[in-house]
Amino acid sequence: MSILLSVENLSIAFGGLKAVDDLTFEMNHGEIYGIIGPNGAGKTTAFNCITQFYKPNAGKILFDSKKNGVMDLVGLKPHQVIGHGLVRTFQNVELISSLSVIDNLLVGAHIAFKSTLPEQIFRLPRARREEKQLRERAMEVLEMLDLTHIAHMPATMQPYGYQKKLELGRTLMMSPKLIILDEPAAGLNEVETEGLINIVQSVAKDLNCGILLIEHDMNFVSKLCNRICAISFGKRLAIGTPDEIKAHPDVREAYLGKSDEGGDVDG
């Protein structure tokens, strides 16, 4: 398998605190990859560096862009990163309350519009064609998420589980090569979590889209991820399969906790 994302010696400090310290890992096309660690380990800071919301002090972020092949994302603006095929969600669901479900999806495709503002205002032919194509794409995404029945309903009046799926759907509107998910299972019940696992697996397999995620629910991570990178205080502890990570002594001590008998750690 070819490499989709390679993070090399990534570091960032805030004042005297090194939030991410010489972090290195890589993931493949179509792989579901997890980053775990205790609170304050630097997980979200690493994500913010990868997406260029934060500018790292050192390191490279090499990404197999859908535009230019392998390139270093460091120094780009966040919207430029999105244009190269790397998109993300956030811990808190951010939907526009005044818009319907399908229109919230279309917001996620705003940089895909090629028509000018005057063309859109006056509904000229190119603008109409683009809107028609993107609405068709939005319905395909809603079908993938099993949300077509609420397409024209207010987005923020939907159950929380639907809103979380809708946020994932918004990332799919850009036909990404890599989606970064920040605690996607937070606030979901068991049934909703199982449904999300199935959707993420389908996205990775059917669209050959890499998934990089942070999640505190170890059961969720273990069921979903091909490999996991465990970090603590911004430094990498171990990389391996879910079973290898669960058994790793440094990870058990720093994140999962040691059982009294020294056996397997509960999820």
Side-chain angles (χ1 to χ4, degrees):
M1 297 179 69
S2 57
I3 295 173
L4 174 61
L5 177 72
S6 179
V7 175
E8 300 179 2
N9 308 113
L10 186 68
S11 296
I12 186 171
F14 301 101
L17 174 65
K18 255 195 172 176
V20 178
D21 189 0
D22 201 33
L23 179 63
T24 295
F25 69 90
E26 61 184 32
M27 61 177 292
N28 298 315
H29 285 269
E31 183 175 19
I32 304 176
Y33 196 101
I35 296 181
I36 66 169
N39 288 332
K43 305 182 299 296
T44 297
T45 301
F47 273 20
N48 285 335
C49 287
I50 293 169
T51 54
Q52 292 298 285
F53 282 86
Y54 294 164
K55 302 303 178 185
N57 301 129
K60 294 181 179 180
I61 302 165
L62 302 179
F63 179 61
D64 188 6
S65 163
K66 67 180 183 181
K67 289 183 176 180
N68 300 335
V70 177
M71 60 179 295
D72 191 349
L73 299 180
V74 174
L76 297 183
K77 296 178 180 179
H79 74 273
Q80 293 173 320
V81 172
I82 294 170
H84 286 289
L86 194 161
V87 298
R88 69 171 293 176
T89 64
F90 294 86
Q91 291 181 13
N92 298 320
V93 176
E94 300 288 349
L95 301 177
I96 300 175
S97 60
S98 60
L99 297 182
S100 67
V101 166
I102 191 168
D103 285 336
N104 265 275
L105 284 189
L106 290 172
V107 168
H110 69 283
I111 67 172
F113 280 96
K114 300 294 189 291
S115 54
T116 64
L117 183 60
E119 285 177 312
Q120 295 177 36
I121 291 174
F122 294 107
R123 305 281 297 154
L124 296 181
R126 183 166 70 157
R128 294 200 303 271
R129 285 196 303 271
E130 284 188 335
E131 183 175 351
K132 181 176 183 294
Q133 292 168 354
L134 288 172
R135 282 192 175 273
E136 290 172 352
R137 171 61 181 161
M139 288 304 297
E140 291 172 358
V141 170
L142 289 176
E143 185 173 359
M144 182 184 302
L145 301 175
D146 195 24
L147 295 178
T148 54
H149 60 293
I150 61 167
H152 302 289
M153 296 181 183
T156 55
M157 293 183 65
Q158 304 310 311
Y160 187 69
Y162 282 7
Q163 293 188 35
K164 293 285 280 189
K165 289 202 291 184
L166 178 55
E167 189 173 42
L168 172 61
R170 197 158 52 185
T171 69
L172 296 176
M173 290 298 295
M174 291 305 303
S175 301
K177 297 185 74 173
L178 173 61
I179 301 173
I180 291 182
L181 303 177
D182 197 345
E183 297 192 23
L188 301 184
N189 61 37
E190 187 174 344
V191 173
E192 291 169 335
T193 299
E194 287 297 324
L196 181 62
I197 288 173
N198 292 334
I199 289 170
V200 172
Q201 288 174 333
S202 294
V203 168
K205 180 180 178 181
D206 298 342
L207 304 181
N208 193 33
C209 180
I211 308 289
L212 177 61
L213 64 91
I214 292 171
E215 182 55 62
H216 286 291
D217 185 341
M218 191 59 193
N219 281 328
F220 179 85
V221 173
S222 297
K223 290 179 180 179
L224 191 55
C225 293
N226 307 114
R227 290 185 298 155
I228 298 170
C229 174
I231 67 176
S232 182
F233 296 106
K235 297 182 74 70
R236 189 180 84 184
L237 292 177
I239 290 177
T241 65
D243 287 342
E244 290 170 341
I245 291 298
K246 283 184 176 182
H248 197 286
D250 292 339
V251 177
R252 292 165 62 85
E253 183 174 2
Y255 177 63
L256 298 173
K258 295 182 179 179
S259 64
D260 292 337
E261 296 81 11
D264 290 340
V265 177
D266 293 335

